Amino acid sequence: MAAETVSDLRKAFRSGKTKDIEYRIEQLTALKKLINENVEALTNAVFKDLGKCKTESMLFEIDMLETEIEECLKNIYKWTAPDYVSKTLMYKPMTCYINKEPLGVVLIIGAWNFPINLTLMPLIGAIVAGNCAIVKPSEISPVTAHLLAEMVPKYLDQECYRVVCGGVKETTEILEERFDKIFYTGSGNVGKIAMTAAAKFLTPVVLELGGKNPAYVSDDADLEITANRIAWAKFTNCGQFCIAPDHIICSKVVQDKLANCLKESIESFYGTVVAKSPDYGRIVNERHFERIEALLEDNCEIFFGGLRDKDTLFFSPTILLNVSKDAKCMQDEIFGPILPIVTVESEEEALEFVNSRPKPLSLYLFTSSGERIRKWRNETSSGSFAANDCVIQGGLSTLPFGGVGPSGTGNYHGKFSFEAFTHQKSCLEAPLRLVEGANHRMRYPPYTERKLAWARWIIFGKGGSCNIL
Ligand code: NAD
């Protein structure tokens, strides 16, 4: 089944239709129409899967995708045009340029936490770059997955773009096929499976993974503002957000004040009975609920929250104080509404702690010092870095979105998506004359000192020219 689908898409790709820019524009416009005409159905599906409120779906799913398509439509001619490059002397009579060509048939494996965005955003990149694509939404958000499978064929050309639903079995089967790129979003463990499958064919990958994103709050930060920004980023989508702050690192003094400010922020956002807030989401399923619950150890110091109800998958915003660096919740990414605070004696200890752990997807810093911002930016490594805010760096399509090392490989959004699905082919067109000039003869054997000096100068600009001429 998977083999047949890939073979059909290969045939369609070889027909050349996706290479036509007008065709790509038509498909992108159709995808925009799909989104515009089905806002209610799409946001309702996400609500059914995640209890996500309409505002969050509008911002993070619908509007982000629409803006991305508009950006592609605005720039498609510019991005697809060849780039003519600068040349040294030998190349002057030649035309040297980078041709942008699609890779072929690509596989996109989406994740469940932003089930429309994480599935269609890479598809936009695949389309604008002229590829055919198989899209595999996450089975963990089944309502959205099936809605996409039903809608995409109504709007997009089925010969070139397919949605395949399924879980581990189906994905394993698809991964046995050869693709020209695999774009995977999800956990690092499955990322390894995708990368191993890709390695069999030397297929390039983009891996959009996760990690434990630290937020260091310096003693000089305004704590009320910091609390609002961290609380919003952490509890949006119930903490199931790959670039949400995973934990806070700060001094003991800051912890004691910040914890109260965080409590106030949470109550001002969701009221004192969070379970009744229409704006607070739910955990995606029982398995994840149990996983998050297991992070609360018997001896942990719950300052706020900890309320939960497995039947309704409600898990309240939860703040833990004085969390030890080797506590259960400090091992793997939390990906839920638990916010541990780890205290340190000094900023150096905080830096050392961050740098001793795997490179995160995002790193956040709250401070009023520009010098400290530069210090943290330069002395740490993470997919993205934001000072005095969280998460919003992912909403700007002129910034690449992606991890580094264990938090991911490659990036996308805007022009970076186009590049992720494009081969930049080096092209050189030389004139073919009847008689070859000195420019050619100087690089043919038999080699001489004089030829070498000439070649070095004319090709690389090295050495003087007067003794040659
Ligand atoms: P998930 O369970 O939806 O899995 C992701 C995809 O992998 C799904 O399509 C699923 O069908 C497939 N899959 C699962 N098991 C598989 C297997 N054994 N073989 C083949 N395919 C398999 O999502 P998840 O892994 O729970 O996602 C959460 C993780 O994803 C977190 O770590 C989070 O940080 C990360 N994430 C990263 C980004 C990003 O953009 N960097 C975005 C969202 C989530």
Side-chain angles (χ1 to χ4, degrees):
M1 175 66 181
E4 207 176 299
T5 309
V6 176
S7 155
D8 288 352
L9 294 192
R10 282 216 178 281
K11 242 180 257 158
F13 182 71
R14 276 198 293 269
S15 78
K17 66 153 92 167
T18 60
K19 290 189 178 169
D20 178 30
I21 306 293
E22 296 310 316
Y23 173 85
R24 300 184 205 179
I25 292 174
E26 194 185 283
Q27 294 302 307
L28 287 169
T29 309
L31 190 53
K32 189 172 168 202
K33 201 161 169 231
L34 181 161
I35 296 164
N36 284 340
E37 288 180 356
N38 298 285
V39 171
E40 280 306 307
L42 290 166
T43 53
N44 282 340
V46 179
F47 179 77
K48 282 183 190 145
D49 282 327
L50 285 145
K52 197 184 292 189
C53 65
K54 191 164 177 187
T55 302
E56 285 180 14
S57 281
M58 286 308 295
L59 283 176
F60 293 105
E61 314 262 14
I62 307 295
D63 289 348
M64 249 182 104
L65 288 170
E66 230 190 298
T67 309
E68 180 84 355
I69 295 174
E70 282 158 11
E71 171 96 355
C72 290
L73 291 171
K74 195 172 95 195
N75 291 295
I76 190 165
Y77 287 106
K78 195 164 85 189
W79 293 345
T80 52
D83 285 340
Y84 293 89
V85 298
S86 63
K87 296 176 284 191
T88 55
L89 196 55
M90 185 181 82
Y91 299 93
K92 293 286 182 202
M94 309 172 197
T95 312
C96 303
Y97 57 97
I98 302 164
N99 204 45
K100 321 289 177 57
E101 62 181 39
L103 298 171
V105 178
V106 303
L107 171 64
I108 294 165
I109 302 178
W112 51 265
N113 55 327
F114 290 91
I116 309 174
N117 184 325
L118 298 174
T119 311
L120 296 187
M121 186 71 90
L123 178 62
I124 294 170
I127 297 175
V128 71
N131 298 274
C132 290
I134 296 186
V135 177
K136 215 295 293 171
S138 174
E139 72 283 14
I140 310 287
S141 44
V143 183
T144 314
H146 287 108
L147 184 66
L148 290 175
E150 182 195 314
M151 275 179 184
V152 167
K154 289 187 186 156
Y155 288 82
L156 296 192
D157 179 359
Q158 272 208 81
E159 266 191 38
C160 298
Y161 314 105
R162 299 277 174 86
V163 177
V164 177
C165 284
V168 176
K169 182 176 159 285
E170 291 77 5
T171 317
T172 307
E173 195 191 322
I174 298 171
L175 283 170
E176 277 164 20
E177 299 305 314
R178 184 177 72 78
F179 290 94
D180 297 293
K181 187 138 206 174
I182 296 177
F183 190 109
Y184 166 81
T185 303
S187 67
N189 283 339
V190 180
K192 286 179 195 165
I193 296 174
M195 202 170 180
T196 305
K200 204 165 72 182
F201 299 104
L202 295 176
T203 295
V205 291
V206 170
L207 301 176
E208 294 288 339
L209 311 176
K212 282 187 89 61
N213 308 319
Y216 175 64
V217 181
S218 165
D219 291 3
D220 64 357
D222 177 312
L223 298 184
E224 280 177 25
I225 294 175
T226 300
N228 276 339
R229 295 183 189 173
I230 291 182
W232 173 70
K234 177 72 184 185
F235 301 114
T236 286
N237 205 25
C238 215
Q240 302 164 115
F241 198 165
C242 59
I243 52 173
D246 177 272
H247 54 279
I248 292 174
I249 306 169
C250 61
S251 68
K252 182 112 182 51
V253 177
V254 168
Q255 169 185 257
D256 297 343
K257 293 185 201 148
L258 182 62
N260 282 308
C261 295
L262 283 165
K263 175 176 177 287
E264 277 170 31
S265 301
I266 294 165
E267 286 177 348
S268 75
F269 295 167
Y270 305 113
T272 46
V273 186
V274 183
K276 289 204 173 137
S277 166
D279 298 326
Y280 190 71
R282 294 295 181 267
I283 302 302
V284 70
N285 61 23
E286 275 192 22
R287 183 169 63 83
H288 278 276
F289 185 95
E290 285 165 7
R291 178 187 62 77
I292 298 164
E293 190 171 46
L295 300 176
L296 295 175
E297 293 170 278
D298 291 343
N299 60 349
C300 74
E301 206 179 310
I302 299 180
F303 168 77
F304 181 74
L307 304 173
R308 51 201 188 270
D309 173 17
K310 198 161 151 184
D311 291 340
T312 57
L313 298 172
F314 168 74
F315 204 119
S316 74
T318 300
I319 300 170
L320 306 182
L321 299 189
N322 298 311
V323 175
S324 120
K325 287 174 186 164
D326 44 34
K328 237 178 173 180
C329 63
M330 289 304 292
Q331 305 310 307
D332 295 322
E333 179 183 358
I334 293 168
F335 218 57
I338 296 178
L339 181 56
I341 305 184
V342 174
T343 63
V344 285
E345 296 292 329
S346 66
E347 182 178 353
E348 288 313 313
E349 186 189 337
L351 258 176
E352 171 54 30
F353 178 56
V354 166
N355 283 329
S356 68
R357 312 200 103 210
K359 294 177 181 182
L361 189 55
S362 302
L363 193 149
Y364 301 113
L365 166 67
F366 286 83
T367 179
S368 52
S369 155
E371 204 180 310
R372 182 167 286 112
I373 292 175
R374 281 181 290 283
K375 180 179 166 72
W376 275 76
R377 186 199 61 199
N378 294 344
E379 294 183 18
T380 58
S381 180
S382 52
S384 64
F385 168 80
N388 299 323
D389 217 325
C390 301
V391 158
I392 57 167
Q393 76 277 12
L396 187 63
S397 66
T398 42
L399 286 174
F401 186 94
V404 55
S407 55
T409 294
N411 51 53
Y412 73 136
H413 286 190
K415 189 171 186 215
F416 306 100
S417 288
F418 172 77
E419 287 171 351
F421 289 105
T422 294
H423 170 54
Q424 308 213 22
K425 185 153 79 182
S426 290
C427 296
L428 179 148
E429 294 177 23
L432 192 60
R433 298 207 182 95
L434 284 178
V435 181
E436 293 207 288
N439 283 0
H440 297 91
R441 290 199 307 273
M442 53 117 195
R443 60 186 147 106
Y444 298 156
Y447 299 128
T448 63
E449 283 298 317
R450 192 177 153 76
K451 279 187 177 180
L452 174 62
W454 180 286
R456 293 184 72 210
W457 176 58
I458 200 168
I459 302 173
F460 301 113
K462 283 191 193 303
S465 61
C466 41
N467 57 342
I468 302 164
L469 297 174

